[in-house]
Amino acid sequence: MNAPLSPSRRGFLRAGGAGALVIGMGPGGVLAAQNAAGAQAAADAPFSPNVFIRIGRDGIVTLVSKQPEIGQGIKTSLPMVIAEELDIDWKDVRIVQGDLNPAYGSQGAGGSTSTPNNYNDFHRLGATARTILVQAASQTWGVPASECRAAHGAIHHATSGRKLGYGALVPAAAKLPLPDTAQVQLKDPATYTLLGTRIGGVDNGAIIAGKPLFGIDIRLPGMLYAVYAKCPVFGGKPLSANLADIKALPGVKDAFIVEGTENLNGLRPGVAIVATSTWAAFKARRALEVKWDEGVGKGHSWADFAAQAKAAAGKPGTTVLRQDGEVRAAFAGATKTVEASYTYPFISHASMEPQNCTAWFKPNEGTLELWAPTQNPGAGQALVTSTFGIPKEKIVLHIIRSGGGFGRRLSSDFIVEATAIAQKVGAPVKLTWTREDDVQHDHFRPGGFHHLRGGVDASGKLVGWHDHFVTFANRVEREGKSILQPGSGGSLSGDEFPGRWLANCLLEQTALECRIPMGPWRAPGSSVFSWVFHSFIDELAHAGGRDPLEFRMELLGEKDIVPGTGERGQPYSVARMRNVLRAVAEKSDWGKKKFARGQGAGVAFHFSHRGYVAEVAEVTVSKSGELKVDRVVVVTDIGAQIVNLSGAENQVQGSVIDGLSTLMYPELNIEGGRVVQSNFHDYKLLRMPDTPTRIDIHFLKTDYPVTGLGEPALPPLAPAVCNAIFAATGKRVRELPLSKTDLSWS
C-alpha cells in the first residue's frame, strides 16, 4: 500500500471557474486535478468530482472500475473503497468498466497488485468528493461545514435536523473548487460500514443470466470471424498452404499467411482464416493444409530435457544465486543428510474462456479499435504500436471482462494476431482461439528440476542446504547481446526461504535453452518453489525426528529480516509468519488429533505477493491410493483491512482448489517440439467431487498495508497436501502431477 498522500505527491491543482471539477490519476498513480474548461454545466448535469465518480440528480453514483476484471473481483472491491469514503449506500452505486485511458493511471491486473497500488488513492478520491458535497450543503444552509456530516448518500445537519441528498446537491457541488488538502479527512477505519462486509460481484446477475459480458460475446455490425493457425512446433513458420481451397469453402471470406515476428510471446507466424461465422472459420481450418518450417524447436522433448537436467545435477550450476558459510563442511558434520530430486512439468493456464480479441482497423483514418479481455491493456497497446507502427493515440482499447486469466492475459499475442488480421480485412473482425490453440499455444508455466541436499545435526536442527535448480530459458536479444532469459517464474531468487535463514546455504541455477513460450502463471515461481522447498523441509524435519511445524518455527527464528544498506533482498516479517503459523496450528488442532493409518495432516507456509499465508491440509488415502482432501485450514495476514469479505473468501477458496487441481492432474508432455495434450480430455482439471470437503479460512487483521489476495494463498496448498500424504502413507511425492505417484499402501 502506498504511504499517505502528501500535497506534493497528490499534485492537487486549484483553479477557478465554474466547470466540472475533474480529479484524475496520472500515469505515476498519484492524484492530479484539472478544471474542465467551458461554460457552466446545465442544471441537470451530473456532478463529476473526478474521473472515477459521477453523481446524478437522482442520487445514483456511477463509479468507474479501471482495472481489468478476470474473476478476481476487482470490479467490485476497488469501487467499494470509493463508496466507503463517499458514504453512499451500495444499492445506490453503479459500476462501469473503464477503457484504457492515461487519466486512470496504471490499469494492469497481475501480481496481486491492483488493491495495494490503488487503495490509498481511492480512499482519497472518495473523501475528496465527500468533502465537496459537505461544503456544498454548508453553503446552502449557511452553517459551518464542521456541523455537517455525510451518511447514506446525504449530508446531515445535526443541530437543525436538515438533510440534503447527494442528488439535490449536484448543482451546488459542481461549482465548487477543489478543497484544500487539510479539509479532506479520511474516515476512521473503525467507522467503516461497507469495507469488510460481504458484497456480491457486480456482474453476478448478468453472469447467471447468461448475458454478454466477455470478449467472446462481442458482436458488432458487419463483423467477421477469424481463426489463426500457428506451427505446432514452437518457433516454426508457414512456408505454404492450400489457401485457394480454403477460400472456396462455404462462408470463408479470406485466407492468408501472416509473416509474424521472431518474438515467441508476440505475433508468431501463422495462417489466418476469415469467415462469416466462428463455426465456418473453425470448419475451414479442419481442411487447412500447411507446409511448416518447424525450425530448431522440433528437437525439443521432455525426455531430453529430463536427461539434460539429470546430467547437470552432477555438475556445478552455471549461476550461483547464494553462497553462505561452508556447505560441504556442514554436510560432513551433519548427523543425517537427505538427498532428493523434485520435478514438475510445463503447464497451461487453461482459463475457461479461450483467448480472443475483436479488432477494427480503419485505414483511411489510420485508427484501430480493440475489444480485448486482457490483464495488461497498456502492454497490449504498446505491443501493437511496436509491431505495426500504429501510434498509441490512434488506438482505442476497450477492456472486456475475462473468463479467467491467471497471468495468461498479461501476454498480448492474441491482440496483435487480431490486429494483423484486421489490417487485411477492412471490417471489424473477432479472432477466437480453439481450446486446442489455448492448450498447445499457451505461454506456459516453466517446468523445472530441483536437486536438493540437506543436513541436520544430532538435535534435529537444519545445518546445511543445497539446491541446484535446472530451469528453462529463451534466447533473446538485449542491448545488442544474445542472452538466455528464464521464463517467468522460472528464475530462483537467492532470497527464497530458507536461503537467508541458514548459515550454510548454496543455491545454484542452470538454464536449459528452449524455444517454448513461457509466461506468468498464478503466483509465478512461488507456486512451485513452495511445493519443492516445504516438501523437502518436511523430509528434513522427519529425518531429524522433529515436529514439522516446530521445525519450521525454529527455522524462522525470532528476528525479522530487514536488509541493510548495500544488501540485497526484500524485507521479511518473521513475526507475521510466525503468527500465521501459530494461528493455523490452533485452528487446525495441530498435534492434538490422532489419525488412523491412511489419514494424516501436513503443514506449509509461504510469503508471496506481499501476503503471509500458512495452511494445514488433512487427507485420507485409501489402500488403493485414492486421495481425498478432507479439510484445508488457511490463515492469511494481508494487512489492516479486508476490502470485500466475500471476494476475499472466494480468492482463498479458488487458490486452494486451483492449487489442488494443478497438483493432481495436468501436465504437458512435449514430443518433437510440440505439446501432446490438446483439450480437457487429456489435460485434466479438478472436478467438483474431488474438491476439499472443507476449506476453513481465517484472516489475521494486522497493522500493515493492505495487500492483494489473488495469489498468496495458492503456494502453500501443494506442499501441505503432499506432507499430509506422507503422514498418511509414508510415501513422498517428488514429481508432479500427483497422478504419476502410486499412493497405494498396505
Side-chain angles (χ1 to χ4, degrees), residues 344-688:
Y344 46 88
F346 286 89
I347 63 168
S348 174
H349 293 80
S351 48
M352 286 294 101
E353 179 189 22
Q355 310 314 309
N356 65 88
C357 178
T358 299
W360 190 0
F361 181 70
K362 301 176 182 177
N364 292 338
E365 304 168 11
T367 60
L368 175 68
E369 193 166 4
L370 297 164
W371 290 261
T374 172
Q375 290 181 241
N376 202 349
Q381 183 191 62
L383 185 61
V384 168
T385 295
S386 64
T387 304
F388 303 101
I390 304 173
K392 289 184 179 181
E393 58 271 18
K394 294 279 191 177
I395 302 170
V396 174
L397 195 155
H398 306 287
I399 302 171
I400 309 301
R401 185 182 178 110
S402 300
F406 315 109
R408 176 59 178 96
R409 288 180 163 97
L410 288 169
S411 297
S412 304
D413 50 331
F414 51 94
I415 296 177
V416 288
E417 289 174 2
T419 300
I421 297 169
Q423 286 185 315
K424 294 268 291 184
V425 169
V429 58
K430 179 167 67 175
L431 168 69
T432 304
W433 286 28
T434 66
R435 179 67 62 193
E436 289 77 11
D437 290 334
D438 212 39
V439 171
Q440 296 180 326
H441 292 287
D442 201 347
H443 294 173
F444 306 99
R445 187 186 77 180
F449 308 84
H450 291 259
H451 305 288
L452 297 139
R453 190 181 186 197
V456 294
D457 64 15
S459 64
K461 181 178 180 179
L462 182 58
V463 294
W465 178 281
H466 178 206
D467 179 24
H468 184 175
F469 173 38
V470 181
T471 186
F472 293 88
N474 298 143
R475 187 164 294 280
V476 298
E477 296 294 324
R478 181 176 296 170
E479 298 179 353
K481 296 181 180 179
S482 178
I483 63 169
L484 280 178
Q485 179 176 290
S488 177
S491 185
L492 180 63
S493 167
D495 298 325
E496 194 71 55
F497 184 85
R500 290 183 284 176
W501 282 258
L502 292 171
N504 304 297
C505 178
L506 175 59
L507 303 179
E508 302 176 282
Q509 182 168 296
T510 296
L512 304 180
E513 183 175 352
C514 71
R515 292 284 290 166
I516 301 171
M518 294 172 279
W521 190 97
R522 193 173 189 176
S526 299
S527 60
V528 282
F529 297 154
S530 179
W531 170 67
V532 172
F533 300 148
H534 275 283
S535 294
F536 191 56
I537 285 170
D538 211 69
E539 291 200 51
L540 293 166
H542 285 280
R546 304 285 299 280
D547 174 84
L549 192 143
E550 175 194 301
F551 188 74
R552 287 169 171 80
M553 282 288 198
E554 182 180 80
L555 260 176
L556 281 168
E558 301 283 351
K559 187 178 179 180
D560 289 348
I561 292 181
V562 182
T565 303
E567 293 183 27
R568 63 181 181 176
Q570 297 296 317
Y572 188 109
S573 175
V574 165
R576 295 177 74 180
M577 192 60 82
R578 290 178 68 89
N579 285 340
V580 296
L581 267 173
R582 290 191 189 97
V584 83
E586 176 187 347
K587 301 296 183 182
S588 67
D589 291 327
W590 179 266
K592 298 178 181 178
K593 291 183 177 181
K594 298 296 183 181
F595 292 99
R597 182 76 193 282
Q599 295 181 318
V603 64
F605 67 79
H606 203 73
F607 171 63
S608 171
H609 296 80
R610 312 186 209 190
Y612 294 80
V613 183
E615 300 182 16
V616 168
E618 298 175 355
V619 307
T620 298
V621 183
S622 70
K623 288 187 176 182
S624 61
E626 294 179 354
L627 170 69
K628 179 61 180 176
V629 178
D630 302 312
R631 182 169 74 138
V632 178
V633 182
V634 185
V635 176
T636 75
D637 175 358
I638 55 167
Q641 183 64 53
I642 298 297
V643 177
N644 181 0
L645 183 56
S646 177
E649 291 171 337
N650 175 269
Q651 285 302 291
V652 174
Q653 291 165 345
S655 291
V656 167
I657 292 170
D658 200 10
L660 182 59
S661 177
T662 309
L663 166 67
M664 292 185 68
Y665 297 119
E667 71 168 322
L668 295 174
N669 190 23
I670 299 169
E671 294 179 1
R674 64 197 75 202
V675 170
V676 174
Q677 289 74 18
S678 61
N679 209 315
F680 290 148
H681 72 286
D682 56 4
Y683 188 81
K684 295 182 180 179
L685 300 177
L686 196 72
R687 299 299 193 261
M688 291 180 68

Side-chain angles (χ1 to χ4, degrees), residues 122-343:
F122 272 46
H123 271 288
R124 182 67 62 177
L125 288 168
T128 299
R130 167 172 43 82
T131 301
I132 296 172
L133 290 163
V134 168
Q135 290 176 345
S138 72
Q139 291 182 13
T140 300
W141 292 324
V143 300
S146 60
E147 295 182 3
C148 303
R149 68 178 183 86
H152 303 293
I155 304 300
H156 303 258
H157 184 237
T159 303
S160 64
R162 287 176 288 184
K163 178 177 77 170
L164 280 172
Y166 288 170
L169 289 167
V170 163
K175 300 176 184 178
L176 294 177
L178 188 69
D180 291 331
T181 302
Q183 294 177 291
V184 179
Q185 299 295 319
L186 303 187
K187 293 176 66 174
D188 182 342
T191 67
Y192 290 166
T193 58
L194 183 61
L195 297 187
T197 65
R198 288 185 173 88
I199 299 295
V202 296
D203 288 338
N204 284 0
I207 292 172
I208 292 172
K211 293 183 178 180
L213 285 173
F214 302 93
I216 208 166
D217 298 324
I218 293 294
R219 297 288 187 274
L220 298 174
M223 187 170 78
L224 296 175
Y225 303 81
V227 292
Y228 191 61
K230 295 184 285 288
C231 181
V233 175
F234 306 117
K237 58 185 179 181
L239 296 174
S240 63
N242 60 334
L243 299 180
D245 296 339
I246 299 301
K247 291 177 184 180
L249 294 174
V252 174
K253 303 291 287 186
D254 201 358
F256 49 88
I257 289 175
V258 175
E259 295 297 329
T261 67
E262 292 294 322
N263 182 1
L264 280 173
N265 295 83
L267 179 60
R268 288 169 52 195
V271 180
I273 300 174
V274 182
T276 54
S277 69
T278 298
W279 172 244
F282 279 14
K283 190 175 181 180
R285 182 174 175 174
R286 296 175 184 172
L288 182 65
E289 297 175 2
V290 184
K291 182 178 180 181
W292 300 102
D293 175 0
E294 297 184 344
V296 298
K298 64 183 178 182
H300 290 339
S301 73
W302 181 254
D304 181 60
F305 288 141
Q308 291 182 56
K310 185 176 181 180
K315 305 173 184 177
T318 56
T319 303
V320 175
L321 305 172
R322 182 173 209 96
Q323 188 167 11
D324 295 327
E326 297 292 338
V327 176
R328 286 188 179 181
F331 287 143
T335 303
K336 288 185 179 179
T337 59
V338 178
E339 295 187 27
S341 293
Y342 282 75
T343 305

